[in-house]
Amino acid sequence: VQLQASGGGLVRPGGSLRLSCAASGNIYGINTMGWYRQVPGKQREMVATITSYGGRTYAEYVKGRFNISRDNAENTVTLQMNTLKPEDTAVYYCYLGQVVPGRPGVVETWGHGTQVTVSS
């Protein structure tokens, strides 16, 4: 399985960016896709996730500003980020967690990070 992310960049405070991620390879029906972020010296943290059934989870600090969506037919996930703040600056990672037949637990796959910088 591979995850290909795109859409990072530089934006001014209050601006918007859209991150997209496409999964390829063996994708199974029961899965969760999402976005995590990390800044230097800190642990990676969950930003938003969405299950294959459409259930969404958001970190408190992005509620009302970010929206996550997915296309199950295309195996893509999109994060629309609005009203961006300087503290949203981080490397954002696409995530896929899925139940794989014959393997225990959840199998996790991470994409290469994409930099988001919010600065005036």
Side-chain angles (χ1 to χ4, degrees), residues 36-72:
Y36 287 65
R37 71 188 189 187
Q38 189 170 22
V39 297
K42 293 190 175 182
Q43 287 189 331
R44 192 173 296 183
E45 59 185 12
M46 187 274 291
V47 177
T49 63
I50 183 167
T51 70
S52 47
Y53 299 102
R56 294 172 171 84
T57 302
Y58 293 96
E60 282 296 323
Y61 49 80
V62 304
K63 284 183 178 179
R65 299 189 298 125
F66 292 10
N67 183 64
I68 190 168
S69 60
R70 65 183 287 167
D71 184 330
N72 287 339

Side-chain angles (χ1 to χ4, degrees), residues 13-115:
S16 298
L17 278 177
R18 177 177 294 182
L19 303 181
S20 296
C21 178
S24 59
N26 292 326
I27 309 300
Y28 296 90
I30 302 173
N31 63 72
T32 296
M33 297 188 76
W35 295 90
Y36 287 65
R37 71 188 189 187
Q38 189 170 22
V39 297
K42 293 190 175 182
Q43 287 189 331
R44 192 173 296 183
E45 59 185 12
M46 187 274 291
V47 177
T49 63
I50 183 167
T51 70
S52 47
Y53 299 102
R56 294 172 171 84
T57 302
Y58 293 96
E60 282 296 323
Y61 49 80
V62 304
K63 284 183 178 179
R65 299 189 298 125
F66 292 10
N67 183 64
I68 190 168
S69 60
R70 65 183 287 167
D71 184 330
N72 287 339
E74 299 292 330
N75 291 319
T76 59
V77 62
T78 299
L79 183 68
Q80 177 66 43
M81 304 185 293
N82 301 319
T83 319
L84 283 159
K85 305 176 181 180
E87 50 265 44
D88 293 318
T89 296
V91 177
Y92 284 69
Y93 294 90
C94 182
Y95 166 87
L96 168 67
Q98 56 180 342
V99 176
V100 177
R103 297 180 65 178
V106 175
V107 177
E108 297 184 335
T109 303
W110 295 91
H112 294 295
T114 183
Q115 177 71 45

Side-chain angles (χ1 to χ4, degrees), residues 11-16 83-86 117-120:
V11 65
R12 293 188 176 187
S16 298
T83 319
L84 283 159
K85 305 176 181 180
T117 302
V118 185
S119 175
S120 55

